[in-house]
Amino acid sequence: MPRTPPAPASASALPSLDRLLRSPTLSALIQGHGRIRITRLLRSHLQVLRERTSAGQLSAADLQHAIEGPALLAAIDAALAADARQDLQPMFNLTGTVLHTNLGRALLPEAAVHAVSRAMTAPVDLEFDITRGRRGDRDARVQALVCELTGAEAATVVNNNAAAVLLLLNSLANRREVVVSRGELVEIGGAFRIPDVMRSAGARLLEVGTTNRTHPADFAHAIGTRTALLMEVHASNYAITGFTAKVDTAAMAAIAHQHGLPLAVDLGSGSLCDLAAYGLPHEPTVQDTLAAGADLVSFSGDKLLGGPQAGILAGRADLIARINRNPLKRALRMDKMGLVALEAVLALYREPELLAQRLPTLRLLSRTRQDIEAQARRLLPPMRSAMAADYSIELAPMHSQIGSGAQPQAQLASAGLRITCTRRGGLDRFARRLRQLPQPVLGRIGDDALWLDLRCLEPDDEARFLAQWSALQA
Ligand SMILES: *Cc1c(COP(=O)(O)O)cnc(C)c1O
Protein backbone atom coordinates (compact mmCIF):
# COMPACT_ATOMS: atom_id res chain seq x y z
CA MET A 1 0.00 0.00 0.00
CA PRO A 2 1.63 3.33 -0.97
CA ARG A 3 2.30 5.51 2.03
CA THR A 4 0.90 9.03 1.92
CA PRO A 5 3.76 11.55 2.01
CA PRO A 6 3.92 13.50 5.29
CA ALA A 7 2.08 16.80 5.25
CA PRO A 8 4.46 19.67 4.45
CA ALA A 9 4.98 22.32 7.08
CA SER A 10 3.28 25.65 6.60
CA ALA A 11 5.05 28.92 7.36
CA SER A 12 2.08 29.93 9.45
CA ALA A 13 3.03 27.19 11.91
CA LEU A 14 6.27 29.03 12.75
CA PRO A 15 5.99 30.61 16.17
CA SER A 16 6.77 34.28 16.64
CA LEU A 17 10.09 35.33 18.11
CA ASP A 18 8.27 36.91 21.06
CA ARG A 19 6.40 33.76 21.88
CA LEU A 20 9.58 31.70 21.89
CA LEU A 21 11.40 34.26 24.03
CA ARG A 22 8.63 34.00 26.63
CA SER A 23 8.73 30.21 26.68
CA PRO A 24 10.01 28.75 29.97
CA THR A 25 12.42 26.55 27.98
CA LEU A 26 14.61 29.54 27.19
CA SER A 27 14.50 31.36 30.49
CA ALA A 28 17.68 29.73 31.82
CA LEU A 29 19.57 30.61 28.65
CA ILE A 30 18.34 34.20 28.85
CA GLN A 31 19.50 34.34 32.48
CA GLY A 32 22.92 33.05 31.51
CA HIS A 33 23.56 35.00 28.34
CA GLY A 34 21.11 37.90 28.33
CA ARG A 35 18.08 38.54 26.17
CA ILE A 36 19.96 40.38 23.41
CA ARG A 37 22.24 37.52 22.47
CA ILE A 38 19.57 34.80 22.76
CA THR A 39 17.21 36.89 20.61
CA ARG A 40 19.88 37.17 17.92
CA LEU A 41 20.56 33.42 17.90
CA LEU A 42 16.86 32.60 17.97
CA ARG A 43 16.16 34.94 15.09
CA SER A 44 18.70 33.25 12.85
CA HIS A 45 17.41 29.83 13.91
CA LEU A 46 13.87 30.82 12.93
CA GLN A 47 15.14 32.24 9.65
CA VAL A 48 16.70 28.86 8.77
CA LEU A 49 13.44 27.07 9.64
CA ARG A 50 11.48 29.59 7.56
CA GLU A 51 13.72 29.02 4.53
CA ARG A 52 13.53 25.26 4.84
CA THR A 53 9.76 25.46 5.21
CA SER A 54 9.32 27.54 2.07
CA ALA A 55 11.63 25.16 0.20
CA GLY A 56 9.28 22.33 1.22
CA GLN A 57 12.09 20.58 3.09
CA LEU A 58 10.25 20.23 6.38
CA SER A 59 7.18 18.18 7.21
CA ALA A 60 4.68 19.62 9.64
CA ALA A 61 5.91 17.08 12.19
CA ASP A 62 9.59 18.07 11.66
CA LEU A 63 8.76 21.72 12.20
CA GLN A 64 6.71 20.93 15.27
CA HIS A 65 9.66 18.97 16.65
CA ALA A 66 12.16 21.72 15.83
CA ILE A 67 10.33 24.37 17.84
CA GLU A 68 9.63 22.22 20.85
CA GLY A 69 11.67 22.54 24.02
CA PRO A 70 14.55 20.06 23.79
CA ALA A 71 15.29 20.52 20.08
CA LEU A 72 15.12 24.29 20.38
CA LEU A 73 17.44 24.26 23.38
CA ALA A 74 19.88 22.02 21.56
CA ALA A 75 19.89 24.33 18.54
CA ILE A 76 20.62 27.42 20.64
CA ASP A 77 23.27 25.55 22.62
CA ALA A 78 24.92 24.52 19.35
CA ALA A 79 24.88 28.13 18.16
CA LEU A 80 26.52 29.26 21.40
CA ALA A 81 29.15 26.55 21.04
CA ALA A 82 29.82 27.57 17.43
CA ASP A 83 30.47 31.16 18.62
CA ALA A 84 32.85 29.84 21.28
CA ARG A 85 34.84 27.91 18.69
CA GLN A 86 35.78 31.20 17.10
CA ASP A 87 37.70 32.17 20.24
CA LEU A 88 41.43 31.46 20.44
CA GLN A 89 41.79 27.77 21.21
CA PRO A 90 44.49 26.11 23.26
CA MET A 91 46.35 23.56 21.15
CA PHE A 92 48.95 20.86 21.56
CA ASN A 93 52.05 21.92 19.67
CA LEU A 94 53.68 18.66 18.54
CA THR A 95 55.30 20.24 15.49
CA GLY A 96 58.74 20.16 17.09
CA THR A 97 59.05 23.93 16.66
CA VAL A 98 59.21 25.43 20.13
CA LEU A 99 58.73 29.11 19.28
CA HIS A 100 56.01 28.66 16.68
CA THR A 101 54.94 32.05 15.32
CA ASN A 102 51.58 30.69 14.08
CA LEU A 103 50.87 29.28 17.54
CA GLY A 104 51.73 32.42 19.47
CA ARG A 105 55.47 31.99 20.14
CA ALA A 106 56.67 31.94 23.77
CA LEU A 107 54.45 30.64 26.57
CA LEU A 108 54.50 32.85 29.61
CA PRO A 109 55.74 31.66 33.00
CA GLU A 110 53.37 31.51 35.96
CA ALA A 111 54.90 34.60 37.49
CA ALA A 112 54.01 36.66 34.43
CA VAL A 113 50.48 35.29 34.24
CA HIS A 114 49.88 36.27 37.89
CA ALA A 115 51.40 39.68 37.40
CA VAL A 116 49.21 40.35 34.38
CA SER A 117 46.06 39.19 36.07
CA ARG A 118 46.84 41.40 39.10
CA ALA A 119 47.49 44.42 36.93
CA MET A 120 44.30 43.80 34.97
CA THR A 121 42.02 43.78 37.96
CA ALA A 122 43.38 46.59 40.11
CA PRO A 123 44.76 50.07 39.46
CA VAL A 124 48.58 49.90 39.36
CA ASP A 125 51.45 52.38 39.49
CA LEU A 126 52.01 52.00 35.75
CA GLU A 127 52.88 55.68 35.28
CA PHE A 128 52.85 56.83 38.86
CA ASP A 129 55.68 57.44 41.30
CA ILE A 130 54.32 56.28 44.65
CA THR A 131 57.18 57.78 46.70
CA ARG A 132 56.90 61.25 45.27
CA GLY A 133 53.16 61.10 44.71
CA ARG A 134 53.30 62.27 41.13
CA ARG A 135 53.39 61.09 37.57
CA GLY A 136 56.04 58.46 36.93
CA ASP A 137 57.77 56.90 33.95
CA ARG A 138 55.99 53.98 32.32
CA ASP A 139 59.19 52.25 31.19
CA ALA A 140 61.30 52.89 34.28
CA ARG A 141 61.03 49.41 35.81
CA VAL A 142 61.69 47.56 32.57
CA GLN A 143 64.54 49.90 31.75
CA ALA A 144 66.17 49.24 35.13
CA LEU A 145 65.84 45.49 34.67
CA VAL A 146 67.24 45.49 31.13
CA CYS A 147 70.18 47.61 32.24
CA GLU A 148 70.85 45.38 35.25
CA LEU A 149 70.77 42.23 33.12
CA THR A 150 72.66 43.44 30.06
CA GLY A 151 75.00 46.12 31.35
CA ALA A 152 73.36 48.66 29.02
CA GLU A 153 73.37 52.35 30.02
CA ALA A 154 69.72 52.78 29.07
CA ALA A 155 66.83 50.92 27.49
CA THR A 156 63.37 51.42 26.13
CA VAL A 157 60.57 49.11 24.98
CA VAL A 158 57.96 49.07 22.24
CA ASN A 159 55.30 46.74 20.91
CA ASN A 160 57.56 44.32 19.02
CA ASN A 161 61.03 44.16 17.55
CA ALA A 162 59.87 45.24 14.09
CA ALA A 163 58.64 48.44 15.77
CA ALA A 164 61.94 48.75 17.65
CA VAL A 165 63.93 48.65 14.39
CA LEU A 166 61.58 51.12 12.70
CA LEU A 167 61.78 53.49 15.66
CA LEU A 168 65.55 53.25 15.94
CA LEU A 169 66.03 54.00 12.23
CA ASN A 170 63.51 56.81 12.16
CA SER A 171 64.97 58.43 15.29
CA LEU A 172 68.62 58.21 14.29
CA ALA A 173 68.73 58.02 10.50
CA ASN A 174 65.77 59.89 9.03
CA ARG A 175 66.86 61.28 5.62
CA ARG A 176 70.30 59.89 6.14
CA GLU A 177 72.14 56.73 5.18
CA VAL A 178 72.44 53.43 6.97
CA VAL A 179 75.18 51.05 5.90
CA VAL A 180 74.29 47.34 5.98
CA SER A 181 75.98 44.24 4.59
CA ARG A 182 74.21 42.83 1.54
CA GLY A 183 74.20 39.42 3.19
CA GLU A 184 72.00 40.69 6.02
CA LEU A 185 69.01 42.13 4.17
CA VAL A 186 66.68 39.66 5.80
CA GLU A 187 62.96 39.14 5.32
CA ILE A 188 61.13 37.87 8.38
CA GLY A 189 57.73 36.28 7.87
CA GLY A 190 56.81 38.28 4.79
CA ALA A 191 55.92 41.74 6.02
CA PHE A 192 59.22 42.63 7.70
CA ARG A 193 62.01 43.20 5.21
CA ILE A 194 65.00 45.31 6.11
CA PRO A 195 64.96 47.39 2.87
CA ASP A 196 61.23 48.12 3.32
CA VAL A 197 61.62 49.02 6.99
CA MET A 198 64.43 51.40 6.05
CA ARG A 199 62.19 53.09 3.51
CA SER A 200 59.28 53.36 5.95
CA ALA A 201 61.61 54.86 8.54
CA GLY A 202 62.81 57.48 6.04
CA ALA A 203 66.34 56.10 6.03
CA ARG A 204 68.39 55.39 2.93
CA LEU A 205 69.81 51.91 2.77
CA LEU A 206 73.38 51.63 1.57
CA GLU A 207 74.16 47.98 0.91
CA VAL A 208 77.78 46.99 0.92
CA GLY A 209 79.75 43.85 0.12
CA THR A 210 78.28 40.87 -1.66
CA THR A 211 75.72 38.26 -0.65
CA ASN A 212 78.32 35.88 0.70
CA ARG A 213 81.28 38.11 1.59
CA THR A 214 81.58 41.50 3.20
CA HIS A 215 84.88 42.99 4.41
CA PRO A 216 85.80 45.84 6.78
CA ALA A 217 86.92 47.96 3.83
CA ASP A 218 83.41 47.72 2.31
CA PHE A 219 82.02 49.56 5.33
CA ALA A 220 84.87 52.03 5.61
CA HIS A 221 84.55 53.03 1.94
CA ALA A 222 80.79 53.48 2.14
CA ILE A 223 80.86 55.97 4.99
CA GLY A 224 80.27 59.54 3.90
CA THR A 225 78.82 62.81 5.12
CA ARG A 226 75.25 61.54 4.95
CA THR A 227 75.91 58.36 6.92
CA ALA A 228 73.91 58.16 10.15
CA LEU A 229 74.91 54.75 11.41
CA LEU A 230 76.22 51.28 10.66
CA MET A 231 73.86 48.42 11.18
CA GLU A 232 74.27 44.71 11.69
CA VAL A 233 71.23 42.49 11.26
CA HIS A 234 71.09 38.96 12.65
CA ALA A 235 70.50 36.65 9.70
CA SER A 236 67.89 34.86 11.85
CA ASN A 237 66.04 32.54 9.52
CA TYR A 238 68.73 31.73 7.00
CA ALA A 239 72.40 30.87 6.91
CA ILE A 240 75.08 31.69 4.42
CA THR A 241 77.59 28.88 4.30
CA GLY A 242 80.57 27.99 2.14
CA PHE A 243 82.90 30.73 0.91
CA THR A 244 81.81 33.47 3.29
CA ALA A 245 83.19 36.44 5.14
CA LYS A 246 81.43 38.59 7.70
CA VAL A 247 82.66 41.57 9.67
CA ASP A 248 82.07 40.75 13.33
CA THR A 249 80.40 43.11 15.77
CA ALA A 250 83.64 44.28 17.40
CA ALA A 251 85.24 45.10 14.04
CA MET A 252 82.11 46.90 12.83
CA ALA A 253 81.96 48.89 16.06
CA ALA A 254 85.58 49.89 15.62
CA ILE A 255 84.94 51.16 12.08
CA ALA A 256 81.80 53.03 13.16
CA HIS A 257 83.55 54.65 16.12
CA GLN A 258 86.56 55.71 14.02
CA HIS A 259 84.09 57.77 12.01
CA GLY A 260 82.17 59.03 15.03
CA LEU A 261 79.11 56.94 14.13
CA PRO A 262 77.04 54.55 16.21
CA LEU A 263 76.65 50.84 15.46
CA ALA A 264 73.14 49.41 15.81
CA VAL A 265 72.63 45.65 15.94
CA ASP A 266 69.26 44.05 15.32
CA LEU A 267 69.73 40.78 17.16
CA GLY A 268 66.30 39.43 16.28
CA SER A 269 65.74 36.75 18.86
CA GLY A 270 68.13 38.20 21.38
CA SER A 271 69.04 35.91 24.22
CA LEU A 272 69.98 37.09 27.69
CA CYS A 273 71.65 33.85 28.73
CA ASP A 274 74.30 31.65 27.21
CA LEU A 275 72.25 28.92 25.53
CA ALA A 276 75.32 26.69 25.28
CA ALA A 277 75.11 26.22 29.05
CA TYR A 278 71.81 24.40 28.42
CA GLY A 279 73.20 22.18 25.69
CA LEU A 280 71.81 24.45 22.98
CA PRO A 281 73.67 26.05 20.08
CA HIS A 282 75.47 29.26 20.97
CA GLU A 283 73.61 32.47 20.20
CA PRO A 284 75.20 35.90 20.73
CA THR A 285 73.69 37.41 23.87
CA VAL A 286 72.62 41.02 24.24
CA GLN A 287 75.32 41.60 26.85
CA ASP A 288 78.06 40.13 24.57
CA THR A 289 76.89 42.31 21.71
CA LEU A 290 76.98 45.45 23.85
CA ALA A 291 80.35 44.45 25.27
CA ALA A 292 81.66 44.01 21.71
CA GLY A 293 80.96 47.70 21.13
CA ALA A 294 77.40 47.92 19.76
CA ASP A 295 75.85 51.27 20.69
CA LEU A 296 72.27 50.02 20.38
CA VAL A 297 70.83 46.53 20.32
CA SER A 298 67.27 45.62 19.42
CA PHE A 299 65.60 42.29 20.18
CA SER A 300 62.25 40.55 20.55
CA GLY A 301 60.39 39.81 23.77
CA ASP A 302 58.61 36.66 22.63
CA LYS A 303 61.40 34.73 20.96
CA LEU A 304 64.32 33.29 22.94
CA LEU A 305 63.69 35.70 25.79
CA GLY A 306 60.53 33.72 26.49
CA GLY A 307 58.26 36.66 27.29
CA PRO A 308 55.36 38.58 25.77
CA GLN A 309 55.40 40.28 22.38
CA ALA A 310 57.77 43.21 22.80
CA GLY A 311 60.67 44.99 21.17
CA ILE A 312 63.51 46.02 23.43
CA LEU A 313 66.17 48.61 22.63
CA ALA A 314 69.22 48.72 24.87
CA GLY A 315 72.37 50.79 24.64
CA ARG A 316 73.82 54.30 24.92
CA ALA A 317 71.80 56.71 27.04
CA ASP A 318 72.01 59.63 24.58
CA LEU A 319 70.69 57.46 21.72
CA ILE A 320 67.88 56.03 23.85
CA ALA A 321 66.94 59.58 24.88
CA ARG A 322 66.64 60.61 21.20
CA ILE A 323 64.50 57.54 20.55
CA ASN A 324 62.23 58.35 23.49
CA ARG A 325 61.71 61.90 22.18
CA ASN A 326 60.39 60.59 18.84
CA PRO A 327 56.56 60.85 18.68
CA LEU A 328 56.59 57.39 17.07
CA LYS A 329 57.69 56.01 20.44
CA ARG A 330 54.30 56.94 21.88
CA ALA A 331 52.52 55.38 18.93
CA LEU A 332 54.46 52.15 19.22
CA ARG A 333 54.51 51.88 22.99
CA MET A 334 53.78 48.63 24.78
CA ASP A 335 50.43 48.01 26.36
CA LYS A 336 50.02 47.57 30.10
CA MET A 337 49.56 43.79 29.97
CA GLY A 338 52.67 43.23 27.92
CA LEU A 339 54.74 45.59 30.02
CA VAL A 340 53.77 43.87 33.26
CA ALA A 341 54.44 40.43 31.76
CA LEU A 342 57.81 41.56 30.43
CA GLU A 343 58.84 42.88 33.85
CA ALA A 344 57.93 39.56 35.45
CA VAL A 345 59.87 37.57 32.83
CA LEU A 346 62.95 39.78 33.07
CA ALA A 347 62.86 39.47 36.85
CA LEU A 348 63.28 35.69 36.50
CA TYR A 349 66.63 36.26 34.79
CA ARG A 350 67.97 37.58 38.11
CA GLU A 351 68.03 34.00 39.36
CA PRO A 352 69.64 32.22 36.44
CA GLU A 353 70.05 28.83 38.15
CA LEU A 354 66.26 28.54 38.38
CA LEU A 355 65.51 29.83 34.91
CA ALA A 356 65.29 26.47 33.13
CA GLN A 357 62.55 25.38 35.53
CA ARG A 358 60.60 28.60 35.56
CA LEU A 359 60.73 29.87 32.02
CA PRO A 360 58.66 27.62 29.72
CA THR A 361 60.67 28.46 26.59
CA LEU A 362 63.94 27.45 28.19
CA ARG A 363 62.33 24.49 29.95
CA LEU A 364 61.10 23.11 26.61
CA LEU A 365 64.27 23.94 24.70
CA SER A 366 66.49 22.28 27.29
CA ARG A 367 64.55 19.01 27.58
CA THR A 368 66.87 16.12 26.80
CA ARG A 369 66.21 13.50 24.16
CA GLN A 370 66.28 10.82 26.88
CA ASP A 371 63.53 12.56 28.82
CA ILE A 372 61.35 13.01 25.74
CA GLU A 373 61.99 9.45 24.62
CA ALA A 374 60.91 8.09 28.00
CA GLN A 375 57.70 10.07 27.66
CA ALA A 376 57.12 8.69 24.15
CA ARG A 377 57.64 5.16 25.46
CA ARG A 378 55.07 5.83 28.17
CA LEU A 379 52.48 7.23 25.77
CA LEU A 380 52.91 4.74 22.96
CA PRO A 381 50.79 1.81 24.28
CA PRO A 382 47.65 3.81 25.20
CA MET A 383 47.92 5.83 21.98
CA ARG A 384 48.32 2.72 19.88
CA SER A 385 45.31 1.00 21.41
CA ALA A 386 43.03 3.85 20.32
CA MET A 387 44.06 3.54 16.67
CA ALA A 388 42.57 1.53 13.84
CA ALA A 389 44.45 -1.42 12.34
CA ASP A 390 45.47 0.33 9.12
CA TYR A 391 47.46 2.91 11.07
CA SER A 392 50.78 2.15 12.65
CA ILE A 393 52.43 4.20 15.35
CA GLU A 394 55.96 3.82 16.60
CA LEU A 395 58.58 5.56 18.63
CA ALA A 396 60.99 7.57 16.50
CA PRO A 397 63.96 9.89 17.02
CA MET A 398 63.22 13.40 15.81
CA HIS A 399 64.81 16.82 15.57
CA SER A 400 63.10 19.83 17.09
CA GLN A 401 63.70 23.40 16.05
CA ILE A 402 63.92 26.53 18.16
CA GLY A 403 61.69 28.43 15.75
CA SER A 404 60.94 32.11 15.12
CA GLY A 405 64.05 32.41 13.05
CA ALA A 406 66.42 31.53 15.87
CA GLN A 407 69.18 29.21 14.68
CA PRO A 408 67.31 27.73 11.70
CA GLN A 409 69.95 25.07 11.20
CA ALA A 410 70.10 23.93 14.79
CA GLN A 411 68.57 20.52 15.32
CA LEU A 412 67.67 19.64 18.87
CA ALA A 413 67.73 15.89 19.41
CA SER A 414 64.21 14.89 20.34
CA ALA A 415 61.79 12.00 20.14
CA GLY A 416 58.16 11.32 19.48
CA LEU A 417 55.70 9.20 17.61
CA ARG A 418 55.70 8.47 13.92
CA ILE A 419 52.34 7.52 12.43
CA THR A 420 51.91 5.89 9.04
CA CYS A 421 48.87 4.61 7.21
CA THR A 422 48.39 1.99 4.52
CA ARG A 423 45.30 3.69 3.09
CA ARG A 424 45.73 6.49 0.56
CA GLY A 425 44.84 9.86 2.06
CA GLY A 426 44.70 8.24 5.48
CA LEU A 427 47.39 10.45 6.97
CA ASP A 428 45.79 13.70 5.93
CA ARG A 429 42.49 12.46 7.25
CA PHE A 430 44.10 11.53 10.55
CA ALA A 431 45.86 14.87 10.82
CA ARG A 432 42.49 16.56 10.27
CA ARG A 433 40.89 14.45 12.99
CA LEU A 434 43.65 15.55 15.34
CA ARG A 435 42.97 19.19 14.50
CA GLN A 436 39.29 18.68 15.25
CA LEU A 437 39.88 17.40 18.79
CA PRO A 438 38.63 19.62 21.65
CA GLN A 439 42.24 20.75 22.13
CA PRO A 440 43.56 20.46 18.56
CA VAL A 441 46.80 18.53 18.10
CA LEU A 442 49.23 19.79 15.48
CA GLY A 443 52.03 17.60 14.15
CA ARG A 444 54.11 17.68 11.01
CA ILE A 445 53.53 15.65 7.84
CA GLY A 446 56.56 14.60 5.79
CA ASP A 447 58.12 11.51 4.23
CA ASP A 448 54.75 9.70 4.17
CA ALA A 449 54.34 9.94 7.92
CA LEU A 450 52.77 12.15 10.54
CA TRP A 451 55.39 13.13 13.10
CA LEU A 452 54.36 14.05 16.63
CA ASP A 453 57.37 15.53 18.40
CA LEU A 454 56.76 15.38 22.14
CA ARG A 455 59.22 18.11 23.16
CA CYS A 456 56.43 20.59 23.83
CA LEU A 457 54.07 18.19 25.60
CA GLU A 458 54.71 19.04 29.22
CA PRO A 459 54.25 16.12 31.65
CA ASP A 460 51.46 18.04 33.40
CA ASP A 461 49.43 18.00 30.18
CA GLU A 462 49.93 14.32 29.40
CA ALA A 463 46.75 13.07 31.09
CA ARG A 464 44.59 15.58 29.22
CA PHE A 465 46.33 14.70 25.97
CA LEU A 466 45.76 10.97 26.48
CA ALA A 467 42.14 11.38 27.54
CA GLN A 468 41.14 13.02 24.30
CA TRP A 469 43.36 10.67 22.28
CA SER A 470 41.56 7.64 23.73
CA ALA A 471 38.30 9.09 22.49
CA LEU A 472 39.70 9.20 18.94
CA GLN A 473 38.96 5.62 17.92
CA ALA A 474 40.58 6.32 14.58
C1 LIG B 1 62.05 38.36 14.47
C2 LIG B 1 62.92 39.45 14.01
C3 LIG B 1 62.42 40.75 13.91
C4 LIG B 1 61.00 41.09 14.23
O1 LIG B 1 60.73 40.88 15.57
P1 LIG B 1 59.20 40.85 16.09
O2 LIG B 1 59.33 40.87 17.57
O3 LIG B 1 58.62 39.60 15.54
O4 LIG B 1 58.54 42.05 15.55
C5 LIG B 1 63.27 41.74 13.48
N1 LIG B 1 64.55 41.47 13.14
C6 LIG B 1 65.06 40.22 13.21
C7 LIG B 1 66.48 40.00 12.81
C8 LIG B 1 64.27 39.16 13.64
O5 LIG B 1 64.77 37.93 13.73
Side-chain angles (χ1 to χ4, degrees):
M1 207 171 69
R3 266 194 285 165
T4 42
S10 137
S12 64
L14 275 166
S16 73
L17 191 62
D18 278 342
R19 207 192 91 202
L20 286 180
L21 280 170
R22 280 195 308 271
S23 78
T25 319
L26 291 180
S27 65
L29 280 180
I30 292 172
Q31 281 260 309
H33 300 277
R35 181 172 296 270
I36 292 173
R37 182 160 184 207
I38 298 302
T39 304
R40 183 174 63 78
L41 298 177
L42 206 52
R43 185 176 284 128
S44 46
H45 182 56
L46 281 177
Q47 180 60 23
V48 171
L49 291 178
R50 189 170 298 115
E51 280 161 15
R52 294 184 60 199
T53 303
S54 4
Q57 291 168 348
L58 287 182
S59 69
D62 289 340
L63 179 58
Q64 188 55 39
H65 174 73
I67 55 176
E68 270 167 11
L72 187 66
L73 264 184
I76 302 299
D77 270 337
L80 286 166
D83 281 353
R85 270 197 297 280
Q86 289 162 8
D87 298 345
L88 279 184
Q89 290 194 65
M91 294 177 67
F92 284 111
N93 170 15
L94 305 191
T95 59
T97 300
V98 177
L99 294 167
H100 201 302
T101 296
N102 303 150
L103 304 183
R105 290 194 185 158
L107 304 177
L108 290 186
E110 280 304 312
V113 175
H114 286 310
V116 170
S117 118
R118 233 179 13 238
M120 288 300 95
T121 47
V124 286
D125 57 336
L126 178 70
E127 284 183 28
F128 189 77
D129 183 332
I130 295 177
T131 319
R132 297 201 179 90
R134 58 175 196 229
R135 193 192 161 136
D137 177 5
R138 189 182 174 93
D139 294 340
R141 282 172 305 267
V142 159
Q143 146 145 295
L145 274 163
V146 172
C147 292
E148 175 190 327
L149 296 168
T150 66
E153 244 174 53
T156 190
V157 282
V158 284
N159 200 19
N160 52 49
N161 190 34
V165 175
L166 178 74
L167 178 63
L168 129 75
L169 290 171
N170 182 259
S171 309
L172 307 180
N174 193 13
R175 301 192 206 179
R176 296 179 64 198
E177 285 170 1
V178 178
V179 189
V180 185
S181 162
R182 194 163 266 134
E184 296 177 354
L185 300 179
V186 58
E187 168 181 313
I188 288 134
F192 181 90
R193 310 170 94 190
I194 289 292
D196 298 344
V197 176
M198 291 269 177
R199 205 170 306 119
S200 310
R204 213 182 127 229
L205 169 65
L206 207 64
E207 322 173 18
V208 298
T210 60
T211 308
N212 57 328
R213 290 172 72 82
T214 300
H215 306 282
D218 294 325
F219 285 102
H221 290 154
I223 293 171
T225 52
R226 305 208 47 80
T227 310
L229 53 96
L230 265 53
M231 188 165 178
E232 180 184 350
V233 183
H234 192 295
S236 292
N237 49 16
Y238 68 102
I240 295 177
T241 57
F243 185 54
T244 64
K246 177 181 152 51
V247 185
D248 67 23
T249 306
M252 272 187 81
I255 300 166
H257 298 162
Q258 271 159 28
H259 293 83
L261 297 171
L263 169 68
V265 180
D266 175 17
L267 269 185
S269 222
S271 178
L272 293 183
C273 60
D274 179 15
L275 293 180
Y278 300 92
L280 295 163
H282 175 76
E283 172 79 19
T285 63
V286 176
Q287 40 284 39
D288 290 347
T289 309
L290 288 167
D295 299 281
L296 264 183
V297 178
S298 70
F299 54 103
S300 267
D302 56 355
K303 294 185 181 173
L304 281 173
L305 188 73
Q309 181 184 303
I312 302 165
L313 285 160
R316 251 166 58 191
D318 60 324
L319 301 178
I320 295 287
R322 276 170 68 188
I323 288 170
N324 278 331
R325 282 197 299 270
N326 187 335
L328 262 185
K329 165 73 208 308
R330 172 63 180 79
L332 301 172
R333 80 175 182 191
M334 264 192 100
D335 74 306
K336 176 173 69 166
M337 283 190 270
L339 205 49
V340 166
L342 183 60
E343 283 169 31
V345 168
L346 288 172
L348 295 182
Y349 279 86
R350 284 176 159 158
E351 296 170 355
E353 303 96 320
L354 307 175
L355 202 56
Q357 291 163 39
R358 292 171 168 176
L359 193 69
T361 298
L362 197 56
R363 188 164 68 223
L364 296 175
L365 285 174
S366 61
R367 281 187 74 187
T368 63
R369 199 206 48 178
Q370 288 82 344
D371 172 37
I372 304 169
E373 199 180 289
Q375 184 184 27
R377 224 178 279 289
R378 213 160 48 229
L379 294 184
L380 179 59
M383 284 174 76
R384 181 179 275 150
S385 67
M387 296 177 69
D390 43 2
Y391 286 98
S392 84
I393 176 167
E394 66 200 346
L395 202 122
M398 296 184 191
H399 292 285
S400 317
Q401 293 224 322
I402 297 177
S404 280
Q407 300 274 353
Q409 291 185 310
Q411 302 205 316
L412 314 181
S414 183
L417 301 153
R418 177 175 173 273
I419 295 170
T420 50
C421 181
T422 50
R423 254 183 307 127
R424 268 191 58 212
L427 272 187
D428 287 320
R429 219 173 5 257
F430 192 69
R432 192 161 52 239
R433 295 271 307 274
L434 292 183
R435 292 199 308 275
Q436 288 164 347
L437 286 169
Q439 180 163 347
V441 174
L442 194 64
R444 186 177 64 76
I445 288 189
D447 301 325
D448 294 321
L450 172 63
W451 305 79
L452 303 179
D453 185 323
L454 295 183
R455 174 175 297 279
C456 297
L457 182 65
E458 297 234 53
D460 282 354
D461 297 329
E462 249 178 49
R464 213 154 25 88
F465 175 79
L466 271 184
Q468 64 164 16
W469 189 279
S470 316
L472 255 183
Q473 297 302 340

